[in-house]
């Protein structure tokens, strides 16, 4: 059982949505493009309050990266952890270049001022486990 749990890790993050409001970002395309993929930017800006969705995606990236740090020495960039949505709205993770190495689950939530994400990551291949 302990060996099984060593192959699973969790991560979480919470952010102030104000950090991602249009006012702060309108002159900062460099920040947007460094952190988010084109799909994430398009999804977020298709919503009435893009900052809520950007903040939730930022939390999701942090949560995934925290979980991965417990499992692996892999250092992913923020825009290598892409958060997409299924047709029913539920989010899923596209680990760009690493989908064949890890299984991921993510849950997001946001209210007027904060966003939060919770992630579960497990190894697919045992060589990723820290020795
Ligand atoms: C889906 C639902 C749980 C979201 O709850 P909420 O309190 O409105 O919103 P929250 O802030 O807590 O969560 C929003 C996040 O939930 C996630 N979400 C959306 N639909 C989801 C679903 N079907 N399952 C799991 N997560 C879902 C998304 O990640 C969303 O954030 P995002 O748009 O930035 O990606 C709620 O709307 C619900 O129960 N709906 C009933 C099912 C429904 O109406 N589906 C419509 C699509 S067919």
């Amino acid at each position: 059982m302990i060996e099984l749990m060593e192959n699973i890790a969790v991560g979480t993050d919470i952010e102030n949505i104000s950090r991602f409001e249009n006012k702060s970002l309108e002159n900062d395309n460099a920040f947007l493009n460094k952190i988010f993929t084109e799909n994430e930017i398009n999804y977020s800006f298709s919503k009435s309050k893009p900052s809520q969705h950007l903040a939730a995606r930022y939390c999701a990236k942090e949560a995934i990266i925290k979980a991965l740090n417990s499992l692996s020495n892999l250092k992913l960039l923020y825009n290598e952890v892409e958060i997409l949505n299924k047709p029913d709205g539920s989010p899923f993770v596209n680990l760009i270049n690493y989908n064949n190495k890890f299984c991921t689950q993510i849950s997001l939530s946001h209210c007027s001022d904060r966003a939060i994400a919770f992630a579960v990551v497990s190894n697919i291949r045992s060589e990723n486990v820290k020795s």
Side-chain angles (χ1 to χ4, degrees):
M1 179 61 100
I2 289 172
E3 277 179 20
L4 187 64
M5 294 299 283
E6 281 176 352
N7 287 324
I8 300 175
V10 299
T12 188
D13 189 46
I14 184 168
E15 294 290 337
N16 283 316
I17 287 169
S18 59
R19 189 179 167 193
F20 299 87
E21 278 168 1
N22 283 344
K23 215 178 345 178
S24 340
L25 290 176
E26 62 191 9
N27 293 319
D28 204 353
N29 278 340
F31 171 79
L32 274 183
N33 290 319
K34 185 174 170 192
I35 304 293
F36 301 103
T37 67
E38 191 178 349
N39 286 328
E40 293 170 330
I41 292 170
N42 289 342
Y43 178 86
S44 300
F45 282 91
S46 74
K47 303 291 184 182
S48 59
K49 291 184 179 167
S51 54
Q52 291 188 344
H53 304 276
L54 292 170
R57 274 148 190 76
Y58 186 89
C59 289
K61 291 163 189 277
E62 287 272 18
I64 290 283
I65 288 168
K66 283 179 187 175
L68 276 173
N69 285 344
S70 308
L71 285 180
S72 147
N73 294 320
L74 187 64
K75 302 287 177 211
L76 289 186
L77 301 174
Y78 286 106
N79 59 14
E80 292 179 307
V81 181
E82 181 175 53
I83 310 303
L84 301 171
N85 295 75
K86 296 178 189 171
D88 69 356
S90 57
F92 66 98
V93 181
N94 175 24
L95 278 187
I96 295 169
N97 297 325
Y98 294 96
N99 281 324
N100 62 340
K101 295 191 186 295
F102 300 97
C103 289
T104 55
Q105 292 287 336
I106 193 84
S107 182
L108 315 182
S109 187
H110 31 76
C111 60
S112 60
D113 61 342
R114 299 248 165 77
I116 190 167
F118 181 73
V120 178
V121 178
S122 66
N123 272 299
I124 293 177
R125 291 188 180 165
S126 57
E127 65 261 28
N128 292 308
V129 179
K130 270 184 179 170
S131 54

